[in-house]
Amino acid sequence: MEKLKILVPLDGTERSMHSINWLKKFFSKDAISITLMNVMEAVLTNEMMVSMPNEIPNGFDYLAEGSKLILNKAIKELEGYEVDKFSILGYAGEEILRKAEKDSYDIIIMTKCSKKGLYRIIGSVTSKVVRNAKMSVTVIPD
């Protein structure tokens, strides 16, 4: 039997780890193949590289190290599962959609965004993925 391919985007918040807890309740270890994904978001502002929402003093090295910590923490939670990790620099919604389509995932599992204010006006990563994905998306509440 072919394994179900699951993409799990993580942003480093404790809230995003709910996706992993949910996944472990509903899928057996031998039924799925998981890719944990972290998108290192950065924008150019006044010719300076800053991460959203905090400035990154050491540029991309600091971003990469943070991404590695996020993914390694999640891998520990998934002991016994088939897990790959993937990180990339870019805009989260776009990169999640690109990865999901390129590698033909069966499902994306992500946690509902709880951001308020300006982030909500602009639109969350979760809502962008739900609106544009060509595969099933499961959104885990907080």
Side-chain angles (χ1 to χ4, degrees), residues 46-97:
N46 296 329
E47 301 179 19
M48 290 178 55
M49 182 61 74
V50 293
S51 173
M52 295 174 46
N54 301 317
E55 285 191 31
I56 297 301
N58 298 323
F60 295 118
D61 292 341
Y62 184 89
L63 286 171
E65 189 60 33
S67 183
K68 184 177 169 184
L69 290 171
I70 290 164
L71 296 173
N72 287 341
K73 178 182 176 186
I75 284 173
K76 287 179 186 172
E77 295 290 321
L78 289 165
E79 189 174 332
Y81 285 86
E82 181 182 322
V83 182
D84 285 320
K85 59 184 179 177
F86 177 77
S87 61
I88 191 166
L89 181 66
Y91 294 103
E94 294 170 16
E95 295 301 336
I96 292 165
L97 290 165

